Amino acid sequence: MDFNSHNDGISGFIPMIMQNYRTWLCCGISALYAITAVAAVEVPTYKVDGAFGAGGLKATPVSIAVDPQDHIYVLLNNGTVVTYDPSGKSAAEFASKMEPPPTAMTVASGKIYLLATKSKDEEVEFQGKKVKRKTACGANCGVFSPAGTKESEFVLPDVSSATAAHFIGNQLAVGDYKKSQIAFFNITSDKAAPAKKIEGEFRLCCGIFDFCPTADGESMFVANLGAFKVQTYTNRKKHAEFGVRGEKLEDFHGCCNPVNVAALGTGFIVTVEKAPTRVKICDRKGKDAKLIDGLGELVNGCSTIPVAVDSKGAIYLASASKRCLIKCVSDAPPAGLPAATTSNATTSNAAASNVASTKPVAAGLSAERAWQDAQSGNQVTGKLIAFEGTGATSTVVRDGKIRLQVGQKSFDLLLSRLSQSDQDFVANIRGKLTAQNNP
């Protein structure tokens, strides 16, 4: 049975269940119920948020990303990175000064990764004449702090062009249009060590190649635009796909589409088409598609329309022709977060630590902060809250887990999966509570 082909709403806790075969047998009914329940959720309807305050951009946007605190980062074609807060207010700006200017960006673990494609002059024969042209011949990655301090820069071996970048699990994945591949790297402070690749499986067009992590951060959706498909890859192997060329709402139109793709927390997918612009929300099979109305034309001709999703399910689009950001929201946004996937099902299994609690949220023990999964590098923003205790006693850790309030829901997470700094933070709070209860 291929669990990775199911909705991302449960993929956060399935790997934990499978670590314990006996536990899986006991909880199989609950897991199957969760699959059915999530799959039945209606595709949400989105609309343009007219109150979003982001103003006009000074240059053409080529990439956008959102961090766990929902700050929006926009990479411009002149190498500048502009940061906006969740309301759309400009919060910071810096010039990367990378040469050539970067063409792709991702944000992870409090750092900004900018990827630049190098080129060289090449003489080729065209219509019986020899002409010179620029040809992509390599890529570098620069690592910056949110304030714009450059921490390092290194070569990405065996990459000719960088059109997209994301962390899949704990590896940096780079979309290489020229070689029609996605290359994976283990990143240290100043070096990229090549891992495996996905190659020979993509039909690309128009210099465009985009992909994104799924909600659990471990798999990816690929916009294979020349094939008119969205494909799901897990452990670098294709597990599912959908799409066909056509004029129906659930089809992909034009010469090649979709150009960009993003994942919503419950496993719904955002697909972006150009010429003309169509941005749709659909399920993981490409069905029940709903169009976001009121966007107009976001690009001229064959071009990307960068897209990103925040922790609350808001969708951000970057328009090259209008030089602006557009925010789309839903009256009933899909549940689920990239680092703490939710489910409508409940279970008593201690291993299923990413299942959302249906009980009322308890009083907070900390302010809202970012928590990091040490194994995948994924982050989620929330408040530490107590488990139900007796009397005036608050239980911070129960069965090796802590409880976080994320939005209006609570999540149980394994303490051992969190970063050392997070574990130290929890230990400090436990110490303070012990001192208060035992004066």
Side-chain angles (χ1 to χ4, degrees):
M1 182 175 182
D2 179 14
F3 292 98
N4 292 302
S5 65
H6 291 300
N7 194 293
D8 281 326
I10 61 166
S11 62
F13 68 83
I14 285 292
M16 300 178 190
I17 294 176
M18 294 304 293
Q19 290 176 2
N20 189 321
Y21 181 71
R22 293 180 180 177
T23 303
W24 162 242
L25 290 177
C26 295
C27 297
I29 294 177
S30 295
L32 290 173
Y33 171 77
I35 294 170
T36 303
V38 175
V41 176
E42 183 180 0
V43 174
T45 300
Y46 274 75
K47 60 185 178 182
V48 175
D49 181 4
F52 184 58
L57 301 171
K58 298 177 182 178
T60 302
V62 296
S63 183
I64 57 176
V66 181
D67 71 11
Q69 290 74 41
D70 289 340
H71 293 109
I72 307 114
Y73 299 82
V74 185
L75 171 63
L76 305 180
N77 66 342
N78 61 7
T80 300
V81 177
V82 184
T83 308
Y84 294 90
D85 68 16
S87 70
K89 181 180 178 181
S90 180
E93 179 178 324
F94 70 87
S96 67
K97 299 181 181 179
M98 292 180 67
E99 289 294 340
T103 53
M105 172 182 64
T106 189
V107 176
S109 302
K111 300 182 186 297
I112 302 171
Y113 295 79
L114 301 179
L115 286 74
T117 299
K118 297 182 291 184
S119 62
K120 64 180 180 180
D121 290 325
E122 184 180 64
E123 189 173 72
V124 297
E125 188 169 316
F126 178 72
Q127 294 182 348
K129 297 181 180 180
K130 290 186 177 181
V131 297
K132 288 186 177 181
R133 67 178 182 182
K134 294 286 187 181
T135 303
C137 64
N140 282 9
C141 179
V143 183
F144 294 78
S145 72
T149 301
K150 188 174 183 179
E151 299 181 358
S152 64
E153 184 172 351
F154 45 82
V155 173
L156 296 170
D158 201 26
V159 170
S160 291
S161 63
T163 60
H166 293 282
F167 275 87
I168 307 298
N170 59 2
Q171 293 181 328
L172 177 65
V174 180
D176 183 347
Y177 176 85
K178 185 177 181 181
K179 290 190 174 182
S180 188
Q181 66 176 8
I182 297 177
F184 294 80
F185 297 92
N186 295 310
I187 303 297
T188 58
S189 60
D190 59 356
K191 186 178 180 181
K196 295 184 178 180
K197 303 176 183 178
I198 305 173
E199 53 188 342
E201 300 187 27
F202 307 116
R203 290 173 54 193
L204 306 179
C205 184
C206 303
I208 300 169
F209 189 19
D210 189 42
F211 65 94
C212 71
T214 54
D216 63 0
E218 299 296 325
S219 303
M220 65 173 68
F221 296 131
V222 178
N224 195 349
L225 71 167
F228 294 87
K229 294 185 182 298
V230 172
Q231 298 170 323
T232 304
Y233 283 81
T234 302
N235 295 327
R236 293 168 291 276
K237 294 182 179 180
K238 185 173 68 178
H239 285 277
E241 65 179 27
F242 68 83
V244 64
R245 186 177 187 178
E247 297 301 322
K248 297 179 181 178
L249 183 58
E250 293 182 352
D251 301 339
F252 296 125
H253 65 227
C255 71
C256 48
N257 270 309
V259 288
N260 298 87
V261 65
L264 289 172
T266 49
F268 295 120
I269 301 174
V270 184
T271 62
V272 184
E273 299 172 68
K274 44 76 178 167
T277 298
R278 294 202 308 185
V279 181
K280 302 178 294 190
I281 316 298
C282 61
D283 65 20
R284 288 195 61 173
K285 295 182 179 180
K287 302 298 182 182
D288 302 323
K290 291 185 178 180
L291 192 68
I292 302 179
D293 293 321
L295 290 172
E297 287 302 305
L298 300 184
V299 293
N300 296 320
C302 292
S303 179
T304 64
I305 305 175
V307 59
V309 176
D310 71 13
S311 67
K312 298 178 179 62
I315 300 169
Y316 299 88
L317 299 158
S319 170
S321 60
K322 297 180 179 180
R323 288 191 174 183
C324 71
L325 287 184
I326 299 169
K327 181 179 181 180
C328 301
V329 294
S330 174
D331 292 332
L337 296 167
T341 312
T342 66
S343 168
N344 290 332
T346 58
T347 175
S348 60
N349 175 23
S353 61
N354 275 348
V355 180
S357 171
T358 58
K359 297 180 180 180
V361 172
L365 297 175
S366 76
E368 192 169 74
R369 66 192 297 274
W371 302 79
Q372 183 171 9
D373 183 327
Q375 295 184 24
S376 68
N378 292 332
Q379 291 184 331
V380 66
T381 300
K383 299 177 181 179
L384 180 66
I385 60 176
F387 289 92
E388 299 77 12
T390 57
T393 302
S394 295
T395 303
V396 182
V397 179
R398 175 181 291 172
D399 296 329
K401 296 175 290 182
I402 63 168
R403 179 163 289 180
L404 299 183
Q405 176 189 340
V406 181
Q408 299 301 312
K409 296 185 178 181
S410 60
F411 296 80
D412 296 353
L413 302 177
L414 285 171
L415 181 61
S416 61
R417 284 284 298 267
L418 296 176
S419 67
Q420 188 58 52
S421 62
D422 288 337
Q423 295 186 41
D424 293 341
F425 180 85
V426 172
N428 184 47
I429 289 182
R430 294 182 75 182
K432 290 180 178 180
L433 289 175
T434 300
Q436 292 175 6
N437 294 327
N438 300 282

